[in-house]
Amino acid sequence: TDATTFDRRDDVRPTRRRSTDSTRIPSVPRSNVVVVRWLQGLTAGLAAAGVALILSAAIGLARGQCKDEVTRLLCLMSATVAFYYTSNFIFPLLIVVGGLTTLYTKRNDDVALKDTTEKIHKLGVPKLFGAILILTWITIWVVVASIKNTTEYSDGRSTKVLHWFEAFYRTGSIIFGGGQVVLPLLLDDVVQYDRVCTTSGGTLVYDVTDASVCDSYTSVESEDSWITADQFFAGLGVVQAMPGPLFNLSAYIGAVAARRAHVNVLAGIFAAWFGLFGPGVLLIYGVLPFWGGFRKQPVYRRMLPGLNSSAVGLVVAAVFTMGFKIREISPFPNASVCIAFLAFYATHFMKKDAPLVVLASGVLGIIAWATGCS
């Protein structure tokens, strides 16, 4: 049968090839393998550091926001549900549930501001312009989502850019609670998988016509995937060593996705970076004219602890989602976990700077490759 097979070898990740029979395909040349494995060692170290830094942030957020039994339980509930079921709209739903919970539990609490002097209403744009900005945010979301749903990613280069912008704009619109929360959603959007037949001999077969030859099925990164999981986690580690917010990961993803799709790199960066940052900018300046009165509302002030603690739970879920994923894709899973332990200790307890921790973790990843850790 004319099938697409993979040859799994210990020294290289699966490589897609066409075959007219069921025989195994030779691996890539040894010189190329050395380069690939060296880079995989570096990537594994960077990814481990990235997750360790997220864990440190999650602990700090939990200590600051989950101060009583109710908020701790909301954090637990949010983390559990978000880990089990990753969805674009489950995240905001969990945050709303958290807010409604503390709105009820704190219904008799005195939440009035101690300082009655209000000056924030003097900042920002006029209220009419603020309302226009909020309407603009909603309009862009609806229009872009409608166009995206009527097109295919493979239709052309401009369509690819549109799909990138829609994914990042959607994520930037529904996320509350910091850059770490977006990571599972971004990973789900930018890395696509194919469900592939696995024979009893370990060969992966595409386009199978006889299901009886399949011993099981496995997920393999699609050729049409925007980026690979390795590229995602390598960028995560590097971005956390750089100045600026974690959202800057979007520019890296946009550049890599554009390079893989043979699209202008600047177009990819623009679509991803402005897509992720745009909603927040529009909403900040749109809401600020109303903020002076809104922040004093008892309903909002009672909901705030629940909103914050549920958002922290999403960060906790991101730690475990990312942690299990980097172990899964690492060429030396146990060594990657050990590197993450060391990186977490260095950044959380020794208070070492993030760039130094990330750099050291990358070096440890290369050492793990060189010494044959497995």
Side-chain angles (χ1 to χ4, degrees), residues 32-34 52 59 70 116 122 169 176 225 287-288 356:
N32 292 342
V33 169
V34 172
I59 293 174
V70 172
T116 58
K122 298 179 181 179
Y169 194 89
F176 178 96
S225 180
V287 172
L288 190 57
L356 180 62

Side-chain angles (χ1 to χ4, degrees), residues 4 6 8 16 192-199 203-208 211 214-223:
T4 303
F6 281 89
R8 284 196 179 276
R16 183 170 182 167
Q192 290 84 37
Y193 293 89
D194 291 327
R195 190 165 177 261
V196 182
C197 165
T198 305
T199 67
T203 301
L204 304 184
V205 184
Y206 269 72
D207 307 324
V208 64
C214 299
D215 184 65
S216 62
Y217 288 88
T218 189
S219 294
V220 176
E221 287 177 3
S222 170
E223 284 189 342

Side-chain angles (χ1 to χ4, degrees), residues 318-330:
V319 171
F320 286 92
T321 300
M322 300 291 103
F324 289 132
K325 189 63 180 179
I326 66 164
R327 189 182 189 281
E328 175 188 334
I329 67 174
S330 174

